[in-house]
Amino acid sequence: MLNMVEGLARLQAVATSPVVEAVAHAFAAAGKDLALVGGPVRDALLGRPTHDLDFTTDARPDEILAIVTPISTTQWDIGRSFGTIGARVKGENVEITTYRADEYDGITRKPVVAFGDSLETDLTRRDFTVNAMALKVPSVTLVDPTGGVEDLVAGVLRTPIDPQISFGDDPLRMLRAARFASQLEFTVAEPTLQAIAALRETIRIVSPERIQSEMVRLLQTDDPSRGIRILVESGLIDEFMPEVSALQLEVDEHHHHKDVYEHSLTVLRQAIQHEKERFPDAEPNIALRLAALLHDVGKPRTRKLEPNGGVTFHHHDVVGSRMVKKRLQALRFDNDTTAAVAKLVELHLRFFGYAEGAWTDSAVRRYVRDAGSLLAELHILTRADVTTRNKKKAARLARAYDDIENRIDELAAQEELDSLRPELDGNQIQATLGIGPGREVGEAYKFLMEIRLDEGIIGSEAAEQRLRTWWSTRA
């Protein structure tokens, strides 16, 4: 719960930090108002780390630039047309924006930029009340025209104005509601939720790149499932990632299977937990988190109800991999992320064959080869995919995966598994067989790779002999 006394003390500390004081006194000397606004104010009150310093002012862009130039080492005006000037002051980046009083046409997300003269008007045009608070500096006066403090205390996300108007102005705010709900562990006010459901189709005017960016920021939170539930329950996710809500498979009285949707959210939470344990100082792994959420998206398309009351999902890994690749491409994810997620989805079932019976060294090598650079992520995803409530079964699977990881480590120490390749390269193959570049070199490379996977390291001389024998017996 928010402690206002402690929160105000933290605000005072931010306001008297060297950077804020330098900027505040520069604007005061120029006769201009200045206020720290939005996220920094919210996070200081909540006791969360403050990363970005965003200010708002009655000064116009040219005036802002003139004021900050003497106190900064660098300035940038890429956002000048929207009233924003950036600067580096005392080693920190700050952004200062002229009060805004924009209007939207309801057709695009692009506002008709209009500068305002009132801090209160500027605040009421923001996305949520908890982001619509400002701290005037250097006077250290909190300005909260829409009840942001009360909503912080209640842990509620609410728009400063009618949500129908707010989301109508900028539909991307609906996605931000889900992200902030997860980031802050807040609930969304019922009228705000109803507006998201009613206006969900308006998200179509938002570019795929912006939707992707918000989804990434949601997945970077400690528990994205809260926000994902909001997206699914409101129907908003159906507009850009319908595969997630499709995981809510109907279960009839004759055919029973686990709740795939709830299972997927559990896998996502467990994957994040494993990720933090293995890589405590790393940035959130978006490819892994996407794979955890989407690993079973092939199940709805492959579900088959058996006469005996069972349910099967044959090849849902392969089908899901294709679906994931298509969806992430539509959302303009980069090629590396798309390929990584598709590969993890394709491979997420591979381990369970190991749990049912011991693998040969060859099978372990192929597992490593197929995972490639994603082996660590596959380890995490596979462990996270165990959500059974049967403690004995869970313990058995955990032991089996401990075993496969140990075997991978042992083989890696013996055989350099991190760089699995034949013992002869392309040039050596050509020299051994007396041939030039061409299709035959590729076939020979593949033949030697199979030996490497099946038998491990046999030595270059043995590899040459096996290659000559294979070449002499080719049809």
Side-chain angles (χ1 to χ4, degrees):
M1 180 177 293
L2 175 64
N3 183 313
M4 278 304 298
V5 174
E6 294 178 359
L8 291 173
R10 288 189 292 267
L11 273 182
Q12 178 72 34
V14 172
T16 55
S17 68
V19 178
V20 175
E21 280 198 331
V23 178
H25 288 301
F27 275 77
K32 295 296 180 181
D33 293 335
L34 185 74
L36 193 64
V37 68
V41 178
R42 177 200 70 218
D43 290 340
L45 285 171
L46 290 173
R48 297 169 61 92
T50 301
H51 300 292
D52 302 311
L53 293 176
D54 296 322
F55 296 90
T56 188
T57 179
D58 59 345
R60 295 308 194 246
D62 289 343
E63 295 173 309
I64 296 173
L65 188 59
I67 294 169
V68 300
T69 296
I71 63 169
S72 59
T73 55
T74 307
Q75 309 83 38
W76 54 94
D77 62 355
I78 192 171
R80 181 193 287 262
S81 60
F82 294 96
T84 300
I85 300 295
R88 188 160 184 81
V89 180
K90 295 187 178 298
E92 291 191 41
N93 292 343
V94 301
E95 287 193 349
I96 306 162
T97 302
T98 303
Y99 296 154
R100 299 273 291 274
D102 302 341
E103 293 183 356
Y104 292 79
D105 59 15
I107 300 173
T108 69
R109 284 190 64 247
K110 297 180 179 179
V112 177
V113 177
F115 297 142
D117 297 308
S118 164
L119 174 59
E120 286 73 13
T121 299
D122 177 276
L123 294 175
T124 57
R125 56 168 290 281
R126 294 176 180 265
D127 53 7
F128 302 103
T129 60
V130 296
N131 297 330
M133 298 178 289
L135 185 69
K136 287 186 176 181
V137 288
S139 63
V140 194
T141 304
L142 182 64
V143 180
D144 178 22
T146 64
V149 169
E150 288 84 351
D151 287 342
L152 277 184
V153 172
V156 173
L157 287 172
R158 182 171 55 84
T159 54
I161 58 176
D162 185 331
Q164 296 272 349
I165 297 174
S166 181
F167 296 149
D169 285 345
D170 185 357
L172 191 63
R173 290 171 176 169
M174 296 186 290
L175 258 175
R176 289 200 196 109
R179 191 242 299 179
F180 282 123
S182 282
Q183 180 179 320
L184 303 175
E185 299 182 1
F186 280 15
T187 58
V188 179
E190 189 59 33
T192 304
L193 278 175
Q194 292 173 359
I196 294 174
L199 298 174
R200 71 183 211 186
E201 292 183 0
T202 63
I203 199 70
R204 297 174 187 175
I205 71 172
V206 179
S207 71
E209 291 84 357
R210 296 304 300 274
I211 292 174
Q212 176 229 108
S213 177
E214 278 300 322
M215 279 300 294
V216 166
R217 296 176 79 176
L218 169 58
L219 288 169
Q220 288 173 330
T221 65
D222 289 340
D223 183 10
S225 60
R226 181 188 292 260
I228 292 168
R229 289 186 188 280
I230 291 169
L231 297 177
V232 170
E233 291 166 9
S234 67
L236 181 60
I237 205 166
D238 290 340
E239 302 299 328
F240 58 88
M241 196 179 279
E243 296 82 1
V244 175
S245 57
L247 294 171
Q248 302 174 104
L249 298 177
E250 294 181 5
V251 180
D252 62 36
E253 59 180 323
H254 303 295
H255 298 86
H256 299 284
H257 56 79
K258 73 171 63 176
D259 187 323
V260 182
Y261 172 64
E262 290 297 332
H263 165 74
S264 298
L265 293 183
T266 300
V267 172
L268 175 58
R269 286 194 298 272
Q270 293 185 167
I272 292 173
Q273 180 181 344
H274 288 311
E275 175 192 340
K276 289 180 177 180
E277 290 171 354
R278 285 195 180 223
F279 309 106
D281 299 321
E283 292 294 317
N285 189 317
I286 296 304
L288 170 62
R289 296 181 182 201
L290 280 167
L293 174 63
L294 303 174
H295 73 285
D296 275 344
V297 294
K299 281 190 171 181
R301 289 192 184 181
T302 58
R303 183 173 67 158
K304 183 178 179 181
L305 305 179
E306 301 292 348
N308 63 1
V311 182
T312 62
F313 304 97
H314 294 312
H315 307 301
H316 78 268
D317 47 349
V318 177
V319 172
S321 179
R322 291 197 294 264
M323 292 171 63
V324 162
K325 183 177 181 181
K326 184 177 180 181
R327 177 55 56 197
L328 298 188
Q329 287 174 338
L331 288 173
R332 306 294 194 269
F333 277 89
D334 63 272
N335 292 337
D336 288 345
T337 299
T338 299
V341 178
K343 175 61 71 174
L344 289 170
V345 172
E346 180 184 348
L347 295 177
H348 82 274
L349 287 181
R350 183 76 63 86
F351 157 73
F352 293 96
Y354 184 91
E356 295 166 3
W359 281 3
T360 63
D361 286 350
S362 172
V364 175
R365 293 187 194 100
R366 291 173 189 277
Y367 187 76
V368 173
R369 187 274 308 271
D370 291 346
S373 62
L374 296 171
L375 184 60
E377 286 85 352
L378 185 57
H379 285 333
I380 292 173
L381 177 59
T382 302
R383 288 186 181 274
D385 198 19
V386 178
T387 62
T388 178
R389 295 181 181 178
N390 185 321
K391 294 183 179 180
K392 289 185 178 179
K393 181 179 180 181
R396 177 174 61 82
L397 291 171
R399 286 194 301 269
Y401 210 83
D402 288 341
D403 183 61
I404 192 175
E405 287 202 64
N406 289 335
R407 288 184 64 191
I408 289 171
D409 290 341
E410 291 169 1
L411 284 173
Q414 299 168 14
E415 304 179 5
E416 301 178 354
L417 285 188
D418 289 341
S419 55
L420 265 176
R421 59 176 62 89
E423 292 181 71
L424 303 179
D425 62 23
N427 291 332
Q428 291 170 314
I429 290 172
Q430 293 176 58
T432 300
L433 300 180
I435 61 176
R439 177 175 54 84
E440 291 86 356
V441 176
E443 293 175 357
Y445 190 94
K446 183 177 180 181
F447 166 74
L448 291 173
M449 187 63 181
E450 290 299 313
I451 294 175
R452 176 73 172 84
L453 291 168
D454 288 337
E455 304 176 33
I457 297 173
I458 64 173
S460 58
E461 290 185 8
E464 289 178 6
Q465 183 59 46
R466 297 278 287 274
L467 179 62
R468 291 191 184 97
T469 301
W470 169 80
W471 182 252
S472 67
T473 58
R474 290 177 74 246

